[in-house]
Amino acid sequence: MTSMQVCQDTSKQVCQDTGILVGMDERVDEDVKTVVRGATPRWPALVRRSMRSRRMEPLASTTRQMRGVALAEARPSTTTAGLALGVDVENGFPIFHDPFTLYGNDGFSSPNIVTFGDLGSGKSVSAKTWVLRNLMVGRRVVIVDKKLQALGDGTRAGEYSTLARTLGYTPITLKVGGGGTRINILDPLIAGESIDGVAGQQLLLETVASAAVGRSLNERERKALRVARESATCAAEQQGRVAHVGDVTHFLLEPVEQSMPGISGADVLADWGRDVAFALERMVTEELAGLIDGPTSEGVNVSGALTVFDISSLPDEGAAVGIMMSVLNTWLHAMIARSRETVPTLFVVDEAWHVAEGDFARIARKNAKLARGLGISNLTILQHPGDISPDSPAISMIKESQTAFVFRQDKADDAVAVCELFGWDVGEWAPLLQRLGTGICVVKIGASRPLLCSWKVSDFELSVATTDAAMKSRATLTDAFHSLNEEDGEASRGQ
């Protein structure tokens, strides 16, 4: 330093070159020296005495903690390529990530994402903001919405309904008993026989039949089902229409006489397929009534930017939810496989434990393996790893996902299970997962060390992502009674 100017008034002194502000009063005026050019600068006496009097007490810390204050040595948590997630809790740097953008870099090869989180941890809000941010960059988003919630207008629908309607899209509703959309699993537009390895008609049909009989089909039953499907498809084509499950049931009970190796006649096929036929007939007319028992409803496509299948009205008990999730998963993959141009697509399955077991998991994993070739990023949302049995094919699918957002896990067993699933140090990460606040998550990106992220949302994102309408309702039974009477009165006047 070659010069220093000391500016003095009655209350303060500013050492301009150093940018230091020093408090002064008249009692120390005699200690203030004017520093001339070329002289050695001196601190004012008051400052020197203060520096001598302070004793720095050592504090215990760790390298990980000090990384956040030693900014000269800390580096950004991620590159700026991709979608904004939030802020690194440890060092304050913003976190960006996007499987489509990162694909092919640093060994990153899987576009699939898994999210874990307990109720109230911020899991649902993060999923909706992820949807919005993908839409903002021109991608297609398809959602299978299972969660039923109360909307602000007093109605009930899937929790993504508010988001869809706010953006100008109408959810496609699936209901048992009719009144919703019907999807025919034998429609060539759903899967075809086989399209680039996508689970086809036969696999979907076997999935429904297996759910109907409550067990895996044996080889004789599979053979009978395959022959019945082929007969149903041929007969429907001659009539100028598309076959459906009811046609298959008919040919299971009344097979066409034809010569086949190892089968002596139609009576043998009828014996092999009789139990499956009765179970299919029951399921299609009861549990799945109005869902797969006829032609596919018009207007069902994924040509728009956002498609929401609202299956929140389907009962949790029984096989309806798992079947429809599997059907929609397969249908989406087949539709995209037929497209001339590949548009990156985010496929969101919330409450995914419904497809974590049996044939449903087998279909989900089979289609997930094709995600890269079709430009699909599957976002699977679960509460805990305990929702999935250790021998489920879904476990392998989750392990193969190179992106994970893990929100709070209240129970120690669930926290440990997450760590074991992803190969994280249990002693370091399990206690942390139990203490995470709302909106804080551990982010797994490829093989890199996990990041602790504070998920950030805009006011608009928060307005369409919250699901608290039911809990914040101040309605009473009296209000509900009056509302019911008003509706009855309007109905009477209409008559």
mmCIF file of all heavy atoms in Angstrom, residues 161-177:
data_model
loop_
_atom_site.group_PDB
_atom_site.id
_atom_site.type_symbol
_atom_site.label_atom_id
_atom_site.label_comp_id
_atom_site.label_asym_id
_atom_site.label_seq_id
_atom_site.Cartn_x
_atom_site.Cartn_y
_atom_site.Cartn_z
ATOM 1 N N SER A 161 -55.582 -32.091 -11.126
ATOM 2 C CA SER A 161 -56.660 -31.452 -11.878
ATOM 3 C C SER A 161 -56.533 -29.937 -11.879
ATOM 4 O O SER A 161 -56.747 -29.280 -12.905
ATOM 5 C CB SER A 161 -58.019 -31.859 -11.292
ATOM 6 O OG SER A 161 -58.242 -33.236 -11.445
ATOM 7 N N THR A 162 -56.198 -29.356 -10.726
ATOM 8 C CA THR A 162 -56.056 -27.898 -10.650
ATOM 9 C C THR A 162 -54.969 -27.414 -11.591
ATOM 10 O O THR A 162 -55.142 -26.435 -12.323
ATOM 11 C CB THR A 162 -55.733 -27.474 -9.208
ATOM 12 O OG1 THR A 162 -56.807 -27.861 -8.347
ATOM 13 C CG2 THR A 162 -55.539 -25.968 -9.119
ATOM 14 N N LEU A 163 -53.849 -28.104 -11.592
ATOM 15 C CA LEU A 163 -52.744 -27.727 -12.472
ATOM 16 C C LEU A 163 -53.182 -27.809 -13.932
ATOM 17 O O LEU A 163 -52.934 -26.888 -14.716
ATOM 18 C CB LEU A 163 -51.544 -28.642 -12.213
ATOM 19 C CG LEU A 163 -50.241 -28.374 -12.970
ATOM 20 C CD1 LEU A 163 -49.042 -28.825 -12.141
ATOM 21 C CD2 LEU A 163 -50.222 -29.111 -14.313
ATOM 22 N N ALA A 164 -53.837 -28.918 -14.290
ATOM 23 C CA ALA A 164 -54.254 -29.107 -15.686
ATOM 24 C C ALA A 164 -55.244 -28.033 -16.124
ATOM 25 O O ALA A 164 -55.087 -27.426 -17.191
ATOM 26 C CB ALA A 164 -54.871 -30.493 -15.862
ATOM 27 N N ARG A 165 -56.252 -27.782 -15.316
ATOM 28 C CA ARG A 165 -57.278 -26.800 -15.688
ATOM 29 C C ARG A 165 -56.714 -25.387 -15.720
ATOM 30 O O ARG A 165 -57.122 -24.568 -16.545
ATOM 31 C CB ARG A 165 -58.459 -26.903 -14.732
ATOM 32 C CG ARG A 165 -59.165 -28.257 -14.812
ATOM 33 C CD ARG A 165 -60.392 -28.318 -13.915
ATOM 34 N NE ARG A 165 -60.917 -29.674 -13.824
ATOM 35 C CZ ARG A 165 -61.655 -30.261 -14.755
ATOM 36 N NH1 ARG A 165 -61.980 -29.588 -15.852
ATOM 37 N NH2 ARG A 165 -62.088 -31.496 -14.587
ATOM 38 N N THR A 166 -55.794 -25.081 -14.816
ATOM 39 C CA THR A 166 -55.170 -23.758 -14.823
ATOM 40 C C THR A 166 -54.422 -23.506 -16.119
ATOM 41 O O THR A 166 -54.403 -22.389 -16.641
ATOM 42 C CB THR A 166 -54.199 -23.616 -13.632
ATOM 43 O OG1 THR A 166 -54.924 -23.803 -12.414
ATOM 44 C CG2 THR A 166 -53.539 -22.246 -13.614
ATOM 45 N N LEU A 167 -53.840 -24.552 -16.677
ATOM 46 C CA LEU A 167 -53.094 -24.434 -17.929
ATOM 47 C C LEU A 167 -53.974 -24.629 -19.159
ATOM 48 O O LEU A 167 -53.482 -24.605 -20.287
ATOM 49 C CB LEU A 167 -51.947 -25.454 -17.947
ATOM 50 C CG LEU A 167 -50.892 -25.306 -16.846
ATOM 51 C CD1 LEU A 167 -49.834 -26.397 -16.975
ATOM 52 C CD2 LEU A 167 -50.247 -23.930 -16.879
ATOM 53 N N GLY A 168 -55.281 -24.847 -18.941
ATOM 54 C CA GLY A 168 -56.207 -24.953 -20.066
ATOM 55 C C GLY A 168 -56.424 -26.354 -20.600
ATOM 56 O O GLY A 168 -56.908 -26.516 -21.719
ATOM 57 N N TYR A 169 -56.107 -27.383 -19.799
ATOM 58 C CA TYR A 169 -56.288 -28.773 -20.226
ATOM 59 C C TYR A 169 -57.353 -29.447 -19.358
ATOM 60 O O TYR A 169 -57.460 -29.174 -18.161
ATOM 61 C CB TYR A 169 -54.973 -29.545 -20.119
ATOM 62 C CG TYR A 169 -53.899 -29.040 -21.041
ATOM 63 C CD1 TYR A 169 -52.994 -28.058 -20.614
ATOM 64 C CD2 TYR A 169 -53.784 -29.513 -22.341
ATOM 65 C CE1 TYR A 169 -52.008 -27.577 -21.461
ATOM 66 C CE2 TYR A 169 -52.791 -29.035 -23.195
ATOM 67 C CZ TYR A 169 -51.916 -28.067 -22.740
ATOM 68 O OH TYR A 169 -50.941 -27.593 -23.580
ATOM 69 N N THR A 170 -58.116 -30.337 -19.976
ATOM 70 C CA THR A 170 -59.143 -31.076 -19.253
ATOM 71 C C THR A 170 -58.658 -32.489 -18.973
ATOM 72 O O THR A 170 -58.301 -33.224 -19.907
ATOM 73 C CB THR A 170 -60.449 -31.151 -20.071
ATOM 74 O OG1 THR A 170 -60.906 -29.824 -20.348
ATOM 75 C CG2 THR A 170 -61.519 -31.913 -19.301
ATOM 76 N N PRO A 171 -58.617 -32.897 -17.707
ATOM 77 C CA PRO A 171 -58.165 -34.258 -17.381
ATOM 78 C C PRO A 171 -59.077 -35.316 -18.007
ATOM 79 O O PRO A 171 -60.277 -35.099 -18.169
ATOM 80 C CB PRO A 171 -58.242 -34.303 -15.850
ATOM 81 C CG PRO A 171 -58.180 -32.878 -15.417
ATOM 82 C CD PRO A 171 -58.890 -32.106 -16.493
ATOM 83 N N ILE A 172 -58.508 -36.446 -18.381
ATOM 84 C CA ILE A 172 -59.263 -37.585 -18.902
ATOM 85 C C ILE A 172 -59.607 -38.474 -17.713
ATOM 86 O O ILE A 172 -58.724 -39.010 -17.050
ATOM 87 C CB ILE A 172 -58.440 -38.361 -19.942
ATOM 88 C CG1 ILE A 172 -58.133 -37.455 -21.134
ATOM 89 C CG2 ILE A 172 -59.180 -39.620 -20.395
ATOM 90 C CD1 ILE A 172 -57.173 -38.070 -22.136
ATOM 91 N N THR A 173 -60.884 -38.609 -17.430
ATOM 92 C CA THR A 173 -61.340 -39.304 -16.222
ATOM 93 C C THR A 173 -61.695 -40.754 -16.515
ATOM 94 O O THR A 173 -62.408 -41.052 -17.481
ATOM 95 C CB THR A 173 -62.570 -38.592 -15.625
ATOM 96 O OG1 THR A 173 -62.238 -37.214 -15.384
ATOM 97 C CG2 THR A 173 -62.973 -39.240 -14.317
ATOM 98 N N LEU A 174 -61.188 -41.647 -15.695
ATOM 99 C CA LEU A 174 -61.516 -43.070 -15.778
ATOM 100 C C LEU A 174 -62.337 -43.451 -14.559
ATOM 101 O O LEU A 174 -61.924 -43.217 -13.419
ATOM 102 C CB LEU A 174 -60.236 -43.915 -15.835
ATOM 103 C CG LEU A 174 -59.276 -43.619 -16.989
ATOM 104 C CD1 LEU A 174 -58.032 -44.488 -16.878
ATOM 105 C CD2 LEU A 174 -59.948 -43.849 -18.328
ATOM 106 N N LYS A 175 -63.517 -44.021 -14.799
ATOM 107 C CA LYS A 175 -64.419 -44.385 -13.706
ATOM 108 C C LYS A 175 -64.977 -45.782 -13.908
ATOM 109 O O LYS A 175 -65.268 -46.182 -15.033
ATOM 110 C CB LYS A 175 -65.597 -43.396 -13.623
ATOM 111 C CG LYS A 175 -65.216 -41.967 -13.272
ATOM 112 C CD LYS A 175 -66.459 -41.093 -13.205
ATOM 113 C CE LYS A 175 -66.127 -39.663 -12.819
ATOM 114 N NZ LYS A 175 -67.349 -38.819 -12.775
ATOM 115 N N VAL A 176 -65.127 -46.485 -12.823
ATOM 116 C CA VAL A 176 -65.791 -47.794 -12.871
ATOM 117 C C VAL A 176 -67.285 -47.574 -13.010
ATOM 118 O O VAL A 176 -67.866 -46.721 -12.348
ATOM 119 C CB VAL A 176 -65.485 -48.604 -11.594
ATOM 120 C CG1 VAL A 176 -66.304 -49.897 -11.587
ATOM 121 C CG2 VAL A 176 -64.003 -48.916 -11.496
ATOM 122 N N GLY A 177 -67.914 -48.336 -13.881
ATOM 123 C CA GLY A 177 -69.352 -48.234 -14.058
ATOM 124 C C GLY A 177 -69.779 -47.313 -15.174
ATOM 125 O O GLY A 177 -70.969 -47.101 -15.389
#
